[in-house]
Amino acid sequence: MRFAMAKRLDWARDGTSWPNHEHSRFVSAAGVRWHVQVMGRGPVLLLVHGTGAATHSWRDLAPLLAERFTLVAPDLPGHGFSAPLPYARMSLPGMAEALVELLACLRMSPALVLGHSAGAAILTRAALTGGLAPRALISLNGALLPWRGLPGHVFSPTARLFATTPMISRFLSWHALDRKAVEGMVASTGSVLEARGVDLYRRLVGDTGHVRATLSMMANWDLSLIERGLSELRPPLFLVVGEGDRTVSPREAERVRTLAPDAELVELPGLGHLAHEERPLAVGALVLDIAARQGL
């Protein structure tokens, strides 16, 4: 089997067609060359995407929020156009520490943070360790607690095997060249995206480095760190949940509230895991409402 058609993302070749590329810059921090998008004026709002995604996922939401905030949105290490961390640091503590170092390099202190899926866990970890002190933390379909049952015992070991076997990353990237496969991947989240959104995920999953970083993150993930610390989380926590999310069950938010009873739950009817890509106007209005309630 040949994998020659798969291409690594390259800014010189792919950057000009990347969403909001005019706001992109490259910054070195924590041993990583980061791709970061910065736009707008006002209090700093940090956006952190989830596993397997990149800054493209904020393509329509970011310009809306930039009308009110200075928006900072990085590609996580190994994702999109950012270089990876060493394998052992592609963990929850490692990613959180690296993100805090990036913000220090940028000399930015977020007043508000929003994380999607695993991005919410990274922000929560950074807040628990004192690296971030926002006025509020918004978890959008956040993956904050360990998986229950059989998946919890199988998921990380399988990801670890895949992440340390380069042939598997190449195979998955090669498979992603089939548009139907990527459409199926997106549909499995419970979300419906426009053609451009599917094409952007196809470009990402077609990059073997991006796939390897995604698998490395999954292999090193330990959400028990969040589970043990949630009761001590200082910033107000807002749990924004797509009712049709098939990746992180909406019921998980209720589990979170047993550990953080002051957390506020907001449901998004009819939307899936990629709610911010499906309905950026609705999600943007919700973020602005939360910000206003925090005096921002």
Side-chain angles (χ1 to χ4, degrees), residues 215-296:
L215 293 171
S216 297
M217 224 173 133
M218 293 177 177
N220 284 295
W221 224 232
D222 181 7
L223 289 173
S224 66
L225 297 171
I226 304 297
E227 186 175 32
R228 292 195 298 268
L230 265 177
S231 61
E232 300 175 8
L233 184 66
R234 291 186 177 181
L237 175 61
F238 292 84
L239 303 168
V240 180
V241 176
E243 288 184 334
D245 190 348
R246 296 181 195 166
T247 302
V248 178
S249 169
R251 293 190 296 273
E252 292 299 290
E254 292 298 340
R255 287 181 66 205
V256 172
R257 292 180 78 190
T258 64
L259 300 171
D262 292 333
E264 183 172 327
L265 176 61
V266 183
E267 296 180 341
L268 297 171
L271 298 181
H273 192 61
L274 306 175
H276 55 304
E277 299 188 56
E278 293 182 277
R279 295 281 301 279
L281 284 173
V283 174
L286 179 57
V287 172
L288 292 175
D289 177 66
I290 292 173
R293 290 162 56 189
Q294 305 305 311
L296 296 172

Coordinates of all heavy atoms in Angstrom, one line a residue, residues 215-296:
L215 N -3.2 11.4 18.1 CA -3.1 10.1 18.8 C -2.3 10.2 20.1 O -2.5 9.5 21.1 CB -2.6 9.0 17.9 CG -3.5 8.6 16.7 CD1 -2.7 7.8 15.7 CD2 -4.7 7.9 17.2
S216 N -1.2 11.0 20.0 CA -0.3 11.1 21.2 C -1.0 11.8 22.3 O -0.9 11.4 23.5 CB 0.9 12.0 20.8 OG 1.7 11.3 19.8
M217 N -1.9 12.8 22.0 CA -2.7 13.4 23.0 C -3.6 12.4 23.7 O -3.7 12.4 24.9 CB -3.4 14.5 22.3 CG -3.5 15.9 23.1 SD -4.3 17.1 22.1 CE -5.4 17.8 23.3
M218 N -4.3 11.6 22.8 CA -5.2 10.7 23.4 C -4.5 9.6 24.2 O -5.0 9.2 25.3 CB -5.9 9.9 22.2 CG -6.9 10.8 21.4 SD -7.5 9.9 20.0 CE -8.6 11.1 19.3
A219 N -3.3 9.2 23.8 CA -2.6 8.2 24.6 C -2.2 8.7 25.9 O -2.1 7.9 26.9 CB -1.4 7.8 23.7
N220 N -1.8 10.0 26.0 CA -1.3 10.5 27.3 C -2.3 11.2 28.2 O -2.0 11.7 29.2 CB -0.2 11.6 26.9 CG 1.1 10.9 26.5 OD1 1.7 10.3 27.3 ND2 1.4 11.1 25.3
W221 N -3.6 11.2 27.8 CA -4.6 11.9 28.5 C -5.0 11.3 29.8 O -5.3 10.1 29.8 CB -5.9 12.1 27.6 CG -6.5 13.4 27.5 CD1 -7.8 13.7 27.8 CD2 -5.8 14.7 27.3 NE1 -8.0 15.1 27.6 CE2 -6.8 15.7 27.3 CE3 -4.5 15.0 27.0 CZ2 -6.5 17.0 27.1 CZ3 -4.2 16.3 26.7 CH2 -5.2 17.3 26.8
D222 N -5.1 12.1 30.8 CA -5.5 11.6 32.2 C -6.5 12.6 32.8 O -6.1 13.5 33.4 CB -4.3 11.4 33.0 CG -4.7 10.8 34.4 OD1 -5.9 10.5 34.6 OD2 -3.8 10.8 35.3
L223 N -7.8 12.4 32.6 CA -8.8 13.3 33.1 C -9.1 13.2 34.5 O -9.9 13.9 35.1 CB -10.0 13.2 32.2 CG -9.9 13.7 30.8 CD1 -11.2 13.4 30.0 CD2 -9.7 15.2 30.8
S224 N -8.5 12.2 35.2 CA -8.7 12.1 36.6 C -8.1 13.3 37.3 O -8.5 13.6 38.4 CB -8.0 10.8 37.2 OG -6.6 10.8 37.0
L225 N -7.1 14.0 36.7 CA -6.6 15.2 37.2 C -7.6 16.3 37.3 O -7.7 17.1 38.3 CB -5.4 15.7 36.3 CG -4.2 14.8 36.2 CD1 -3.3 15.3 35.1 CD2 -3.5 14.7 37.5
I226 N -8.5 16.3 36.4 CA -9.6 17.3 36.4 C -10.7 16.8 37.4 O -11.2 17.6 38.2 CB -10.3 17.4 35.0 CG1 -9.2 17.9 34.0 CG2 -11.4 18.4 35.1 CD1 -8.6 19.2 34.3
E227 N -11.0 15.5 37.4 CA -12.0 15.0 38.3 C -11.7 15.3 39.7 O -12.6 15.6 40.5 CB -12.1 13.5 38.0 CG -13.2 12.8 38.8 CD -13.3 11.3 38.4 OE1 -12.3 10.7 38.1 OE2 -14.5 10.8 38.5
R228 N -10.4 15.1 40.1 CA -10.0 15.4 41.5 C -10.0 16.8 41.9 O -10.1 17.2 43.0 CB -8.6 14.8 41.7 CG -8.6 13.2 41.6 CD -7.3 12.7 42.3 NE -6.1 13.2 41.5 CZ -5.5 12.5 40.5 NH1 -6.0 11.4 40.1 NH2 -4.4 13.0 39.9
G229 N -9.8 17.7 40.9 CA -9.7 19.1 41.2 C -10.9 20.0 41.0 O -10.9 21.2 41.4
L230 N -11.9 19.5 40.3 CA -13.0 20.4 39.9 C -13.6 21.1 41.1 O -14.0 22.3 40.9 CB -14.1 19.5 39.2 CG -14.1 19.5 37.7 CD1 -15.2 18.6 37.2 CD2 -14.2 20.9 37.1
S231 N -13.7 20.5 42.2 CA -14.3 21.1 43.4 C -13.5 22.4 43.8 O -14.1 23.2 44.6 CB -14.5 20.2 44.6 OG -13.2 19.7 45.0
E232 N -12.3 22.5 43.4 CA -11.4 23.6 43.8 C -11.3 24.6 42.7 O -10.5 25.6 42.9 CB -10.0 23.1 44.2 CG -10.1 22.1 45.4 CD -8.7 21.5 45.7 OE1 -7.7 21.9 45.1 OE2 -8.7 20.6 46.5
L233 N -12.0 24.5 41.6 CA -11.9 25.4 40.5 C -12.4 26.8 40.9 O -13.6 26.9 41.4 CB -12.7 24.9 39.3 CG -12.6 25.7 38.0 CD1 -11.2 25.7 37.4 CD2 -13.6 25.2 37.0
R234 N -11.6 27.8 40.7 CA -12.0 29.1 41.2 C -12.9 29.9 40.2 O -13.9 30.5 40.6 CB -10.8 30.0 41.6 CG -10.1 29.4 42.8 CD -9.0 30.3 43.2 NE -8.3 29.9 44.5 CZ -7.3 30.5 45.1 NH1 -6.8 31.6 44.5 NH2 -6.8 30.0 46.2
P235 N -12.5 30.0 38.9 CA -13.4 30.8 38.0 C -14.7 30.1 37.8 O -14.9 28.9 37.9 CB -12.6 30.7 36.6 CG -11.2 30.2 37.0 CD -11.4 29.4 38.2
P236 N -15.8 30.9 37.7 CA -17.1 30.4 37.4 C -17.1 29.5 36.1 O -16.4 29.9 35.1 CB -18.0 31.6 37.1 CG -17.3 32.7 37.9 CD -15.8 32.4 37.8
L237 N -17.7 28.4 36.2 CA -17.6 27.4 35.1 C -19.0 27.4 34.4 O -20.0 27.2 35.0 CB -17.3 26.0 35.6 CG -17.3 24.8 34.6 CD1 -16.3 25.1 33.5 CD2 -17.0 23.5 35.3
F238 N -19.0 27.5 33.1 CA -20.2 27.5 32.3 C -20.1 26.3 31.3 O -19.1 26.2 30.5 CB -20.4 28.8 31.4 CG -20.7 30.0 32.3 CD1 -19.6 30.7 32.9 CD2 -22.0 30.4 32.5 CE1 -19.9 31.8 33.7 CE2 -22.3 31.5 33.3 CZ -21.2 32.2 33.9
L239 N -21.0 25.4 31.5 CA -21.0 24.1 30.7 C -22.0 24.3 29.5 O -23.2 24.2 29.7 CB -21.5 22.9 31.5 CG -20.6 22.7 32.8 CD1 -21.3 21.7 33.7 CD2 -19.2 22.2 32.4
V240 N -21.5 24.6 28.3 CA -22.4 24.8 27.2 C -22.4 23.4 26.4 O -21.3 22.9 26.0 CB -21.8 25.9 26.3 CG1 -22.7 26.1 25.0 CG2 -21.7 27.2 27.0
V241 N -23.6 22.9 26.2 CA -23.7 21.5 25.8 C -24.6 21.5 24.6 O -25.8 22.0 24.6 CB -24.3 20.6 26.9 CG1 -24.6 19.2 26.4 CG2 -23.4 20.6 28.1
G242 N -24.2 20.8 23.5 CA -25.0 20.6 22.3 C -25.8 19.3 22.6 O -25.3 18.3 22.9
E243 N -27.2 19.5 22.5 CA -28.0 18.3 22.9 C -27.8 17.1 22.0 O -28.1 16.0 22.3 CB -29.5 18.8 22.8 CG -29.9 19.7 24.0 CD -31.3 20.1 24.0 OE1 -32.0 20.0 22.9 OE2 -31.9 20.4 25.0
G244 N -27.3 17.4 20.8 CA -27.1 16.3 19.8 C -25.7 15.8 19.8 O -25.3 15.0 18.8
D245 N -24.9 16.1 20.7 CA -23.5 15.7 20.7 C -23.3 14.2 20.9 O -23.8 13.6 21.8 CB -22.7 16.4 21.9 CG -21.2 16.3 21.9 OD1 -20.7 15.4 21.1 OD2 -20.6 17.0 22.6
R246 N -22.7 13.6 19.9 CA -22.4 12.2 19.9 C -21.0 11.8 20.3 O -20.7 10.6 20.4 CB -22.7 11.5 18.6 CG -24.2 11.7 18.1 CD -24.3 11.0 16.7 NE -25.6 11.4 16.1 CZ -25.9 11.2 14.8 NH1 -24.9 10.6 14.0 NH2 -27.0 11.5 14.3
T247 N -20.2 12.8 20.5 CA -18.8 12.6 20.9 C -18.7 12.6 22.4 O -18.1 11.7 23.1 CB -17.9 13.6 20.3 OG1 -18.0 13.5 18.9 CG2 -16.4 13.3 20.7
V248 N -19.2 13.7 23.1 CA -19.2 13.8 24.5 C -20.7 13.8 24.9 O -21.4 14.8 24.6 CB -18.5 15.0 25.0 CG1 -18.6 15.1 26.5 CG2 -17.0 15.0 24.6
S249 N -21.2 12.8 25.5 CA -22.6 12.8 25.8 C -23.0 14.0 26.7 O -22.3 14.4 27.6 CB -22.9 11.5 26.6 OG -24.2 11.6 27.2
P250 N -24.2 14.6 26.3 CA -24.7 15.7 27.1 C -24.8 15.4 28.6 O -24.8 16.2 29.5 CB -26.0 16.0 26.5 CG -25.9 15.6 25.0 CD -25.0 14.3 25.1
R251 N -25.0 14.1 28.9 CA -25.2 13.6 30.3 C -23.9 13.8 31.1 O -24.0 13.9 32.3 CB -25.6 12.2 30.3 CG -27.0 11.9 29.7 CD -27.4 10.5 30.0 NE -26.6 9.5 29.4 CZ -26.7 9.1 28.1 NH1 -27.7 9.6 27.4 NH2 -25.9 8.2 27.6
E252 N -22.8 14.0 30.4 CA -21.5 14.2 31.1 C -21.5 15.5 31.9 O -20.9 15.6 32.9 CB -20.3 14.1 30.2 CG -20.1 12.7 29.6 CD -19.8 11.7 30.6 OE1 -18.7 11.8 31.2 OE2 -20.6 10.8 30.9
A253 N -22.3 16.5 31.4 CA -22.3 17.8 32.1 C -22.9 17.6 33.5 O -22.5 18.3 34.4 CB -23.1 18.8 31.3
E254 N -23.9 16.7 33.6 CA -24.5 16.5 34.9 C -23.5 15.8 35.9 O -23.5 16.1 37.1 CB -25.7 15.6 34.8 CG -26.9 16.3 34.1 CD -27.4 17.5 34.8 OE1 -27.1 17.7 36.0 OE2 -28.0 18.4 34.2
R255 N -22.6 15.0 35.3 CA -21.6 14.4 36.2 C -20.6 15.5 36.7 O -20.2 15.5 37.8 CB -20.7 13.4 35.4 CG -21.4 12.0 35.1 CD -20.5 11.1 34.3 NE -19.3 10.7 35.1 CZ -18.1 10.4 34.5 NH1 -18.0 10.4 33.2 NH2 -17.1 10.0 35.3
V256 N -20.3 16.4 35.8 CA -19.4 17.5 36.2 C -20.1 18.3 37.3 O -19.4 18.7 38.3 CB -19.1 18.4 35.0 CG1 -18.4 19.7 35.4 CG2 -18.3 17.7 33.9
R257 N -21.4 18.5 37.2 CA -22.0 19.4 38.2 C -22.1 18.7 39.6 O -22.3 19.4 40.6 CB -23.4 19.7 37.7 CG -23.4 20.7 36.5 CD -24.8 21.0 36.0 NE -25.5 22.0 36.9 CZ -26.7 22.3 36.8 NH1 -27.5 21.7 35.9 NH2 -27.2 23.2 37.6
T258 N -22.0 17.4 39.6 CA -21.9 16.7 40.9 C -20.6 17.1 41.7 O -20.5 17.1 42.9 CB -22.0 15.2 40.8 OG1 -20.9 14.7 40.1 CG2 -23.3 14.8 40.1
L259 N -19.6 17.4 40.9 CA -18.3 17.8 41.4 C -18.1 19.3 41.5 O -17.3 19.8 42.3 CB -17.1 17.2 40.6 CG -17.1 15.7 40.5 CD1 -16.1 15.3 39.4 CD2 -16.8 15.1 41.8
A260 N -18.8 20.0 40.7 CA -18.7 21.5 40.7 C -20.2 22.0 40.6 O -20.7 22.4 39.6 CB -18.0 22.0 39.4
P261 N -20.9 21.9 41.7 CA -22.3 22.2 41.8 C -22.7 23.6 41.4 O -23.9 23.9 41.0 CB -22.7 21.9 43.2 CG -21.4 21.9 44.0 CD -20.4 21.5 43.1
D262 N -21.8 24.6 41.4 CA -22.1 25.9 41.1 C -21.9 26.2 39.6 O -22.3 27.2 39.1 CB -21.1 26.9 41.8 CG -21.4 26.9 43.3 OD1 -22.5 26.7 43.7 OD2 -20.4 27.2 44.0
A263 N -21.5 25.2 38.8 CA -21.4 25.3 37.4 C -22.7 25.5 36.8 O -23.7 24.9 37.2 CB -20.7 24.1 36.8
E264 N -22.8 26.4 35.8 CA -24.1 26.7 35.1 C -24.1 25.9 33.8 O -23.2 26.0 33.0 CB -24.2 28.2 34.8 CG -25.5 28.6 34.2 CD -25.7 30.1 34.1 OE1 -25.1 30.8 35.0 OE2 -26.3 30.6 33.1
L265 N -25.2 25.2 33.6 CA -25.4 24.4 32.4 C -26.3 25.2 31.4 O -27.4 25.7 31.7 CB -26.1 23.1 32.7 CG -26.5 22.1 31.6 CD1 -25.2 21.7 30.8 CD2 -27.2 20.9 32.2
V266 N -25.8 25.3 30.1 CA -26.6 25.9 29.1 C -26.7 24.9 27.9 O -25.6 24.4 27.4 CB -25.9 27.2 28.6 CG1 -26.7 27.9 27.5 CG2 -25.6 28.1 29.7
E267 N -27.9 24.6 27.5 CA -28.1 23.6 26.4 C -28.3 24.3 25.1 O -28.9 25.4 25.0 CB -29.3 22.7 26.7 CG -29.0 21.9 28.0 CD -30.2 21.0 28.3 OE1 -31.3 21.3 27.8 OE2 -30.0 20.0 29.1
L268 N -27.8 23.7 24.0 CA -27.9 24.2 22.6 C -28.8 23.2 21.9 O -28.2 22.1 21.4 CB -26.5 24.3 22.0 CG -25.6 25.4 22.6 CD1 -24.2 25.3 22.0 CD2 -26.2 26.8 22.4
P269 N -30.0 23.4 21.7 CA -30.9 22.4 21.1 C -30.5 22.2 19.6 O -30.2 23.1 18.9 CB -32.3 23.1 21.1 CG -32.2 24.1 22.2 CD -30.8 24.6 22.2
G270 N -30.5 20.9 19.2 CA -30.3 20.6 17.8 C -28.9 20.6 17.3 O -28.7 20.4 16.1
L271 N -27.9 20.9 18.2 CA -26.5 21.0 17.7 C -25.7 19.9 18.3 O -26.0 19.3 19.4 CB -26.0 22.4 18.2 CG -26.6 23.6 17.6 CD1 -25.9 24.9 18.1 CD2 -26.7 23.5 16.1
G272 N -24.6 19.5 17.6 CA -23.8 18.4 17.9 C -22.5 18.9 18.6 O -22.4 20.0 19.1
H273 N -21.5 18.0 18.4 CA -20.2 18.3 19.1 C -19.5 19.5 18.5 O -18.8 20.2 19.2 CB -19.3 17.1 19.0 CG -18.0 17.1 19.8 ND1 -18.1 17.2 21.2 CD2 -16.7 17.2 19.5 CE1 -16.9 17.2 21.7 NE2 -16.0 17.2 20.7
L274 N -19.7 19.8 17.3 CA -19.1 21.0 16.6 C -20.1 22.1 16.5 O -20.2 22.8 15.5 CB -18.6 20.6 15.2 CG -17.7 19.3 15.2 CD1 -17.3 18.9 13.7 CD2 -16.4 19.6 16.0
A275 N -20.7 22.4 17.6 CA -21.8 23.4 17.7 C -21.3 24.8 17.2 O -22.0 25.5 16.5 CB -22.4 23.5 19.1
H276 N -20.1 25.1 17.6 CA -19.6 26.5 17.2 C -19.3 26.6 15.7 O -19.2 27.7 15.2 CB -18.3 26.7 18.0 CG -17.2 25.7 17.8 ND1 -17.4 24.4 18.1 CD2 -15.9 25.8 17.4 CE1 -16.3 23.7 17.9 NE2 -15.4 24.5 17.5
E277 N -19.1 25.5 15.0 CA -19.0 25.5 13.6 C -20.3 25.5 12.9 O -20.5 26.0 11.8 CB -18.1 24.4 13.1 CG -16.7 24.4 13.7 CD -15.8 23.3 13.1 OE1 -15.6 23.3 11.9 OE2 -15.2 22.5 13.9
E278 N -21.3 24.8 13.5 CA -22.6 24.7 12.9 C -23.4 26.1 13.0 O -24.0 26.5 12.1 CB -23.5 23.7 13.7 CG -23.0 22.3 13.5 CD -23.9 21.3 14.2 OE1 -23.7 21.1 15.4 OE2 -24.8 20.8 13.6
R279 N -23.4 26.6 14.2 CA -24.1 27.9 14.5 C -23.3 28.9 15.2 O -23.5 29.2 16.4 CB -25.4 27.5 15.4 CG -26.4 26.6 14.7 CD -27.3 27.4 13.7 NE -28.0 28.4 14.4 CZ -29.1 28.2 15.1 NH1 -29.6 27.0 15.3 NH2 -29.7 29.2 15.7
P280 N -22.3 29.5 14.5 CA -21.4 30.5 15.2 C -22.2 31.7 15.7 O -21.8 32.2 16.8 CB -20.5 30.9 14.1 CG -21.1 30.5 12.8 CD -22.0 29.3 13.1
L281 N -23.2 32.1 15.1 CA -24.0 33.3 15.6 C -24.6 33.0 17.0 O -24.5 33.8 17.9 CB -25.1 33.7 14.6 CG -24.6 34.5 13.4 CD1 -25.8 34.6 12.4 CD2 -24.0 35.8 13.8
A282 N -25.2 31.8 17.1 CA -25.8 31.4 18.4 C -24.8 31.3 19.5 O -25.0 31.7 20.6 CB -26.6 30.1 18.2
V283 N -23.7 30.6 19.2 CA -22.7 30.4 20.2 C -22.0 31.7 20.5 O -21.7 32.0 21.7 CB -21.6 29.4 19.7 CG1 -20.4 29.3 20.7 CG2 -22.2 28.0 19.5
G284 N -21.8 32.6 19.5 CA -21.2 33.9 19.8 C -22.1 34.7 20.7 O -21.6 35.4 21.6
A285 N -23.4 34.7 20.5 CA -24.3 35.5 21.3 C -24.3 35.0 22.8 O -24.3 35.8 23.7 CB -25.7 35.4 20.8
L286 N -24.1 33.7 22.9 CA -24.1 33.1 24.2 C -22.8 33.5 25.0 O -22.8 33.8 26.1 CB -24.1 31.5 24.1 CG -24.1 30.7 25.4 CD1 -25.2 31.1 26.4 CD2 -24.2 29.2 25.1
V287 N -21.7 33.5 24.2 CA -20.4 33.9 24.8 C -20.5 35.4 25.3 O -20.0 35.7 26.4 CB -19.2 33.7 23.8 CG1 -17.9 34.3 24.4 CG2 -19.1 32.2 23.6
L288 N -21.0 36.2 24.4 CA -21.1 37.6 24.7 C -22.1 37.9 26.0 O -21.8 38.7 26.8 CB -21.7 38.4 23.6 CG -20.7 38.5 22.4 CD1 -21.5 39.2 21.2 CD2 -19.5 39.2 22.7
D289 N -23.1 37.1 26.1 CA -24.0 37.2 27.3 C -23.2 36.8 28.5 O -23.3 37.5 29.6 CB -25.2 36.3 27.1 CG -26.1 36.3 28.3 OD1 -26.7 37.3 28.6 OD2 -26.2 35.2 29.0
I290 N -22.5 35.7 28.5 CA -21.7 35.3 29.7 C -20.7 36.3 30.0 O -20.5 36.7 31.2 CB -21.0 33.9 29.4 CG1 -22.1 32.8 29.3 CG2 -20.0 33.6 30.5 CD1 -21.5 31.4 28.8
A291 N -20.0 36.9 29.0 CA -19.0 37.9 29.2 C -19.6 39.1 29.9 O -19.1 39.7 30.8 CB -18.4 38.3 27.9
A292 N -20.8 39.5 29.4 CA -21.5 40.7 30.0 C -21.8 40.5 31.5 O -21.7 41.4 32.3 CB -22.7 41.0 29.2
R293 N -22.2 39.3 31.8 CA -22.5 38.9 33.2 C -21.3 38.9 34.1 O -21.4 39.0 35.3 CB -23.3 37.6 33.2 CG -24.6 37.6 32.6 CD -25.2 36.2 32.2 NE -25.2 35.3 33.4 CZ -25.4 34.0 33.3 NH1 -25.6 33.5 32.1 NH2 -25.4 33.3 34.3
Q294 N -20.1 38.8 33.5 CA -18.9 38.9 34.3 C -18.3 40.3 34.2 O -17.1 40.5 34.7 CB -17.9 37.9 33.7 CG -18.4 36.4 33.6 CD -18.9 35.9 34.9 OE1 -18.2 36.0 36.0 NE2 -20.1 35.3 34.9
G295 N -19.0 41.2 33.7 CA -18.5 42.6 33.7 C -17.6 42.9 32.6 O -16.8 43.8 32.7
L296 N -17.6 42.1 31.5 CA -16.6 42.2 30.4 C -17.3 42.9 29.2 O -18.5 42.7 29.0 CB -16.0 40.9 30.0 CG -15.1 40.2 31.1 CD1 -14.8 38.8 30.6 CD2 -13.9 41.1 31.3

